[in-house]
């Protein structure tokens, strides 16, 4: 990519934003060196990396990049035989551990990020090297005694010698003969030797070696003769210790050197994954989308926001370029209206997309260009004697000489800075040459001749920055299809220019020019109206799409519930059939054993008929329409009223007392129950005889009750956020209902939290006879936040 274009399009600023979001200097360096690629396959791959990183981050949190450092300099030191320091080994160990965590994280979520997981597979693990470092280097950066037997031995000697020195010095300090000689009863180090601070007037009375004195000369630091030999011995041991430490570091450094190439490779992979993570963070922070990419030069942006402007105040723009009718876009209009921002937005979006970055827009389809050129801004130079015109021409000459067949060219104020007639003619020739090379071009201009040129030349489309004539301010919207007008006369009149002057100016303008200006003004008004209508249409389409999405989502949910209910009802019916079939088989066997008709035979046949009727009754009820579902749910009930209890198979009951709140007591046969008002229906004058008779007192009520429970009891109970003393009664009641309904596999959702609620529930389940077994849910279905149970049959 052209360096000049990268600079004027401010791509460096985007790279800085990206570097700020990396976790370590490894990724930061990659971000600052990021360049758009001219290879389409690489663009697609980089875009996929960013998309996968966003999906993983959204679902599972940020990449675990903690503890990762840039260890490349340490690896270079090891390669040339320079011993690494204990601190460098700690940094190396931390980085290898962090790289391993990152690898495991991405492989664990390979379904959302297959490309990144494949990248992470290349991170090698070095367990032996990590074990060596852990054995030799302490967390505080010191070399441990365990690093080598020789080091442990010499340190033992050091400690013993230090103890002997301390004992002798302590004797001197505590001696009444020397106590008055000391400035302070402490031991101090001077040049690594243990000394005593002696008052200067007693320096000849304490035998020893003088090593230093205070600034005032009042204190002399003397090494007593009785510890000189021991101090010498200690220094020798310390020198030996240092040699042993160097041996340990040398051995460790050699291990790093042998693995240098593999370590470099893993570090580079981590750097790339850190960059992918930063791309995801940047995209999320700026509400970006993944652009659709093409190789046919087509660009379509809707509600595009320049990423370097304030995202809360920037005015989004719409741009269309690159179809058969629009290979070049010529934007006209007043200054500060947004022309240059449009150029920079399209150019910067292209560079970002080809660097694997997502872009801040509602819709973004971007072409892949092998070249991006931009001539934007006033680059006149006094030093090089270049005028504005010369600077522009010099840039354009470079562009024309380097131009290929897949280029995006952005020209600001093309042909300006010289005589208008000559500048317009030159601009036409430049645009024509660019189109001949199949380039995609966006140019801004003030020349009226170029507006007409765009109408006469195929492939060029006029566009204008919208201007509000009432407020005299630009709206920063881009209107394609019409040229912009200067509105000079209207602005002058609104700002108080005497009418006679404005009228004279209008007369001075040629009639043809005036008519053209009027036509352009009308075209601009028509375009603005059409653009407003199109925006309304887009808004309505978005609303319709959202409503359609919600409808389809709810339809899928209902279909899922319907299938689940159907499957559950089928299984329950089969259970009833199996139970009753076994009963029938027993009766038939009894008949065969009797071998002849008699009173017992007739009795048995009657039992068979009753069982058959019972079977048909208990299964056939599902085929009957649910009676009177349209009956209203009562809000208030009085004592003595007759109601239908939907939770008890539509049994009829009498209200025992006026309702209070949302529950009421109802007498159903011989049973008194407290039910919510939502489970009751007013009879609305319906004859009681027309309703199903309650079977509460019959011997077969257990089957009906089980069927009722099965239809009303959920396979899942949620007690998230409840205290144990409130949750356990609910669990007990629900288990009772689920057991009565004959449910087999059920689950309790209690959440993770501190684990106290789960512990209380598990303690209760251990002693519950209704529970056959229970276990923590699978990680994909709640993990530690849910418990799955198997109930006894």
């Amino acid at each position: 990519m052209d360096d000049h274009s990268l600079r004027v399009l401010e791509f460096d600023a985007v790279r800085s934003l990206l570097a700020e979001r990396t976790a370590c200097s490894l990724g930061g360096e990659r971000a600052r060196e990021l360049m758009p690629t001219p290879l389409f396959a690489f663009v697609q791959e980089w875009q996929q990396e960013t998309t996968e990183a966003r999906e993983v981050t959204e679902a599972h949190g940020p990449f675990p990049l903690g503890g990762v450092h840039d260890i490349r300099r340490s690896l270079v030191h090891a390669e040339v035989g320079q011993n690494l320091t204990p601190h460098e080994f700690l940094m190396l160990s931390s980085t290898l551990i962090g790289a391993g965590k990152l690898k495991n994280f991405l492989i664990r979520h390979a379904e959302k990020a297959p490309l990144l997981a494949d990248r992470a597979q290349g991170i090698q693990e070095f367990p032996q090297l990590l074990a060596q470092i852990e054995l030799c280097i302490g967390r505080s950066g010191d070399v441990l005694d365990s690093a080598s037997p020789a080091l442990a031995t010499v340190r033992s000697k050091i400690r013993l010698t230090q103890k002997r020195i301390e004992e002798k010095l302590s004797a001197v300090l505590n001696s009444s003969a020397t106590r008055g000689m000391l400035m302070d009863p402490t031991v101090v180090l001077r040049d690594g030797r243990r000394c005593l601070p002696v008052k200067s007037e007693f320096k000849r009375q304490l035998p020893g070696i003088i090593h230093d004195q205070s600034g005032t000369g009042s204190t002399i630091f003397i090494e007593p003769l009785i510890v000189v030999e021991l101090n010498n011995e200690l220094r020798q041991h310390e020198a030996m210790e240092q040699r042993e430490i160097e041996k340990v570091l040398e051995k460790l450094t050699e291990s790093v050197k042998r693995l240098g190439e593999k370590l470099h490779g893993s570090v580079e992979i981590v750097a790339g994954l850190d960059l992918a993570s930063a791309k995801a963070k940047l995209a999320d922070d700026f509400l970006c989308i993944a652009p659709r990419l093409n190789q046919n030069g087509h660009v379509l942006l809707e509600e595009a926001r320049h990423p370097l402007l304030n995202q809360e105040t920037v005015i989004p723009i719409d741009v269309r370029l690159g179809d058969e009718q629009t290979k070049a876009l010529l934007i006209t209009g007043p200054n500060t209206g947004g022309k240059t921002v449009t150029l920079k937005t399209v150019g910067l979006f292209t560079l970002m997309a080809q660097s694997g970055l997502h872009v801040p827009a509602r819709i973004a389809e971007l072409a892949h260009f092998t070249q991006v050129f931009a001539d934007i801004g006033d680059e006149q130079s006094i030093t090089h004697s270049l005028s504005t015109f010369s600077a522009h021409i010099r840039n354009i000459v470079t562009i024309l000489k380097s131009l290929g067949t897949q280029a995006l060219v952005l020209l600001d104020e093309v042909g300006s800075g010289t005589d208008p007639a000559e500048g317009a003619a030159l601009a036409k020739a430049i645009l024509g040459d660019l189109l001949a090379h199949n380039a995609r071009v966006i140019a801004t201009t003030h020349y009226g001749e170029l507006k007409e040129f765009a109408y006469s030349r195929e492939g060029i489309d006029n566009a204008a920055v919208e201007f509000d004539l009432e407020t005299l301010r630009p709206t920063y919207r881009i209107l394609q299809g019409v040229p912009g007008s200067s509105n000079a006369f209207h602005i002058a009149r609104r700002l108080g220019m005497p009418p006679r002057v404005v009228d004279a100016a209008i007369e001075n303008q040629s009639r043809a020019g005036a008519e053209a200006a009027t036509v352009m003004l009308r075209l601009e008004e028509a375009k603005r109206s059409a653009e407003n209508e199109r925006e309304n249409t887009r808004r309505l389409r978005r609303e319709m799409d959202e409503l359609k999405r919600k409808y389809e989502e709810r339809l899928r949910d209902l279909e899922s519930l319907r299938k689940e209910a159907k499957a559950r009802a089928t299984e329950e019916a089969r259970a009833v059939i199996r139970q009753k079939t076994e009963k029938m088989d027993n009766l038939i066997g009894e008949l065969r054993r009797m071998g002849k008709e008699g009173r017992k035979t007739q009795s048995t046949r009657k039992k068979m008929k009753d069982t058959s009727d019972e079977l048909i009754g208990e299964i056939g009820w599902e085929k009957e329409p649910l009676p009177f579902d349209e009956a209203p749910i009562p809000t208030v009930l009085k004592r003595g009223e007759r109601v239908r209890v939907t939770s008890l198979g539509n049994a009829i009951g009498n209200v025992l007392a006026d309702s209070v709140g949302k529950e009421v007591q109802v007498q159903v046969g011989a049973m008194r129950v407290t039910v919510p008002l939502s489970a009751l229906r007013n009879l609305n004058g319906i004859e009681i005889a027309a309703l199903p008779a309650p079977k509460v007192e019959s011997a077969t009520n257990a089957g009906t009750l089980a069927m009722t429970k099965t239809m009303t009891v959920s396979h899942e109970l949620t007690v998230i956020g409840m205290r144990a003393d409130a949750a356990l009664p609910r669990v007990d009641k629900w288990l009772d209902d689920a057991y009565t309904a004959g449910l087999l596999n059920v689950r309790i959702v209690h959440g993770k939290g501190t684990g106290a609620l789960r512990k209380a529930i598990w303690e209760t389940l251990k002693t519950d006879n209704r529970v056959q077994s229970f276990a923590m849910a699978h990680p994909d279905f709640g993990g530690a936040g849910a418990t799955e149970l198997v109930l006894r049959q």
Side-chain angles (χ1 to χ4, degrees), residues 74-85 88-89 92 126 128-130 132-133 136-137 245-263:
S74 299
L75 297 180
V76 172
H77 290 168
E79 288 172 4
V80 298
Q82 179 181 337
N83 282 357
L84 304 187
T85 65
E88 286 180 301
F89 281 116
L92 174 61
F126 306 91
Q128 291 183 347
L129 178 59
L130 286 171
Q132 276 186 282
I133 295 174
C136 298
I137 310 297
I245 288 175
E246 289 300 321
K247 289 180 182 179
V248 170
L249 297 179
E250 183 179 356
K251 185 178 179 181
L252 280 177
T253 301
E254 185 61 29
S255 298
V256 173
K257 181 179 179 179
R258 287 196 303 271
L259 299 170
E261 186 175 343
K262 295 179 180 178
L263 288 166

Side-chain angles (χ1 to χ4, degrees), residues 162-311:
Q162 287 174 339
K163 183 177 180 181
R164 292 172 60 192
I165 293 172
E166 289 170 0
E167 288 174 351
K168 290 185 177 293
L169 289 176
S170 179
V172 175
L173 289 173
N174 296 326
S175 171
S176 58
T178 57
R179 191 176 301 148
M181 301 179 187
L182 302 178
M183 184 66 74
D184 194 21
T186 59
V187 177
V188 295
L189 282 175
R190 284 296 182 272
D191 297 328
R193 315 283 291 193
R194 284 160 175 77
C195 303
L196 298 178
V198 180
K199 298 174 182 178
S200 59
E201 61 266 27
F202 298 108
K203 65 180 180 181
R204 297 189 185 280
Q205 298 181 27
L206 182 65
I209 300 172
I210 297 175
H211 285 281
D212 198 3
Q213 67 177 8
S214 66
T216 62
S218 60
T219 304
I220 305 298
F221 298 98
I222 298 176
E223 179 184 7
L225 285 177
I226 61 173
V227 296
V228 169
E229 287 302 322
L230 288 174
N231 270 334
N232 290 339
E233 185 181 338
L234 179 62
R235 294 294 291 270
Q236 291 174 359
H237 291 330
E238 288 174 344
M240 190 179 298
E241 176 194 28
Q242 191 57 42
R243 287 194 296 273
E244 291 301 324
I245 288 175
E246 289 300 321
K247 289 180 182 179
V248 170
L249 297 179
E250 183 179 356
K251 185 178 179 181
L252 280 177
T253 301
E254 185 61 29
S255 298
V256 173
K257 181 179 179 179
R258 287 196 303 271
L259 299 170
E261 186 175 343
K262 295 179 180 178
L263 288 166
H264 270 295
S266 294
V267 165
E268 291 302 322
I269 294 174
V270 171
L273 294 173
D274 187 12
L275 178 62
S277 171
K279 289 179 179 180
K281 292 177 183 176
L282 184 68
D284 290 338
D285 290 345
F286 283 80
L287 304 179
C288 297
I289 63 167
R292 296 193 301 269
L293 303 170
N294 66 77
Q295 293 182 284
N296 56 19
H298 185 232
V299 175
L300 174 63
L301 298 176
E302 290 188 12
E303 297 182 21
R305 309 178 309 278
H306 193 289
L308 302 181
L309 298 178
N310 188 324
Q311 296 297 292

Side-chain angles (χ1 to χ4, degrees), residues 533-593:
E533 289 298 324
R534 188 169 69 174
E535 182 59 34
N536 288 334
T537 302
R538 288 176 185 164
R539 179 179 55 77
L540 290 173
R541 186 173 66 244
R542 288 195 298 268
E543 292 176 359
M544 288 294 294
D545 289 343
E546 180 64 16
L547 288 173
K548 180 182 177 184
R549 184 190 65 78
K550 290 182 179 178
Y551 169 77
E552 291 176 345
E553 184 177 310
R554 292 184 179 180
L555 193 62
R556 284 193 298 270
D557 291 343
L558 287 172
E559 180 64 17
S560 176
L561 289 172
R562 187 189 69 79
K563 290 180 178 179
E564 183 181 343
K566 183 178 179 181
R568 190 187 305 166
T570 301
E571 183 59 33
E572 292 160 359
R574 287 173 179 170
V576 172
I577 290 172
R578 283 195 300 269
Q579 180 185 0
K580 300 307 177 183
T581 300
E582 290 175 2
K583 191 173 181 180
M584 295 280 283
D585 288 342
N586 292 336
L587 293 172
I588 291 171
E590 187 177 342
L591 280 173
R592 287 175 177 170
R593 285 193 300 273

Side-chain angles (χ1 to χ4, degrees), residues 660-716:
V660 177
K662 296 183 178 180
E663 293 184 335
V664 66
Q665 273 199 338
V666 179
Q667 179 81 36
V668 180
M671 180 172 57
R672 292 188 178 191
V673 291
T674 300
V675 292
L677 293 177
S678 58
L680 302 175
R681 296 294 184 272
N682 289 319
L683 291 181
N684 290 343
I686 300 169
E687 291 293 333
I688 296 175
L691 295 171
K695 302 180 180 180
V696 175
E697 298 178 11
S698 70
T700 60
N701 183 56
T704 305
L705 184 58
M707 292 292 288
T708 302
K709 289 289 185 184
T710 302
M711 295 300 293
T712 57
V713 176
S714 172
H715 281 67
E716 182 177 285

